[in-house]
Amino acid sequence: MNRRPRLGLIGLGRLGAFHAENLVTRVARAELAAICDVDGARAGMLGAQLDVAWTDSVDELVGNRSLDGIVIATPTSTHVDLVERAARAGKHIFCEKPIALTLDDTLRAISAAHAGDVLLQVGFHRRFDPDFERAKARIAAGDVGRPYLLRVSHRDMSAPEPGTYLQNDGNLFIDAMIHDFDTARWLVGEVEEVTTHATAVVDPQFARDGDADHAVAVLRFENGALGVIDNSRSAGYGYECSAELIGSMATLRIGTERSGGFRWLTAGKAADDYSGNHTERHPVAYVRELEAFAEAISHNAPSPVPGGDALAAFQLSLAATRSHNEGRRAKPGRENRGVATTVLPSAR
Ligand SMILES: NC(=O)c1ccc[n+]([C@@H]2O[C@H](COP(=O)([O-])OP(=O)(O)OC[C@H]3O[C@@H](n4cnc5c(N)ncnc54)[C@H](O)[C@@H]3O)[C@@H](O)[C@H]2O)c1
């Protein structure tokens, strides 16, 4: 293709609006040609602000013949329908994580992309974070040696309102820890089994909704290494995404949570500013994942983050939920058909 791919974007909420702004101002390799949200007022306002054509009709956006690809940033429960429609229309697809809330829908979306012969990239933005990329390169070069122990800490500053969250975006293992499962597979290798614990200590409504606000997972990798993941929906001090890998030749650490170089020093103390959320923590990654999508379309190249990787991480989210609910270790890959909920004692 000897021009920049023309993209459409569906879903202009918290993340979609950020993607839209990035596409217009920072992603040089793509052109944002149209945006869409069922909330027409929201679409109209952002369209005017960014000077991009807008609509509240998904049919209109998907039927727009001038588009090469579509970015989907709607709630997770709506992804599979939109992926199928985009694939049928022959559009390449960037779909936010997770692809869907159930295994069946995840498989349906992946098959639709295959059938439509279109590229499907999933929004595991951390793979495009310069520090995580550097870690990946050193591990791949053998510089860490044999991996012994991975730690990933992934914590939000404050919890979202419980309520519709679970139906729309999935439980903590599916909505948040899926990023960490992807990181674990990408950096260390396949996970053989997972053991998890979850709790709702911030708001008991999470437990009543079949969800949790804190969780930990212990991973056993096929190569013998161990992993520990901790998730918090309400860490209070800021947003943290940090990782560490101890290996036979070196240990690597990722994640200075300081935003910028400002430091406040008083007698015997130093205070740093922390990132408040994921977009502040990984600004470059969110731009580069869309650059990679545009580049893959331009060069007819394979997806930088294919559906198979999203499926593998999702299966770990399902196993994690099962481990917690059944109080034992779980292996990924076993069938799980319904929407996974976390059963907490306080909700029983
Ligand atoms: N990769 C990441 O770091 C990351 C971070 C946050 C969210 N996400 C994912 O992004 C997706 C969106 O999350 P969010 O927090 O931005 O959601 P949100 O609720 O803030 O926004 C969703 C938007 O989609 C619109 N919408 C809903 N159904 C629609 C439909 N069928 N067609 C068109 N528009 C529709 C809504 O009106 C709303 O404006 C979720 O899948 C979530 O898991 C990923």
Side-chain angles (χ1 to χ4, degrees), residues 24-87:
V24 169
T25 59
R26 296 179 194 92
V27 179
R29 292 193 175 102
E31 177 189 347
L32 182 62
I35 57 175
C36 169
D37 197 292
V38 285
D39 180 342
R42 181 173 293 187
M45 208 154 68
L46 198 65
Q49 194 184 314
L50 298 176
D51 197 18
V52 173
W54 64 272
T55 175
D56 60 4
S57 158
V58 172
D59 281 339
E60 187 185 321
L61 187 117
V62 170
N64 182 334
R65 288 170 168 270
S66 80
L67 299 180
D68 304 297
I70 293 182
V71 176
I72 298 173
T74 54
T76 301
S77 55
T78 64
H79 290 176
V80 62
D81 170 54
L82 297 174
V83 167
E84 286 183 325
R85 287 158 80 176

Side-chain angles (χ1 to χ4, degrees), residues 10-17 19 36-39 42 56 58 72-79 81-82 85 94-98 123-126 165 168-169 174-175 179 239 278-279 282 286 289:
I10 309 180
L12 306 171
R14 283 160 293 205
L15 193 62
H19 280 326
C36 169
D37 197 292
V38 285
D39 180 342
R42 181 173 293 187
D56 60 4
V58 172
I72 298 173
T74 54
T76 301
S77 55
T78 64
H79 290 176
D81 170 54
L82 297 174
R85 287 158 80 176
F94 178 99
C95 180
E96 264 312 328
K97 52 46 70 180
F124 287 135
H125 63 279
R126 212 179 278 167
Y165 208 75
N168 291 335
D169 292 293
I174 286 170
D175 184 47
H179 281 294
Y239 177 86
H278 50 95
T279 56
H282 302 286
Y286 286 105
E289 66 176 354

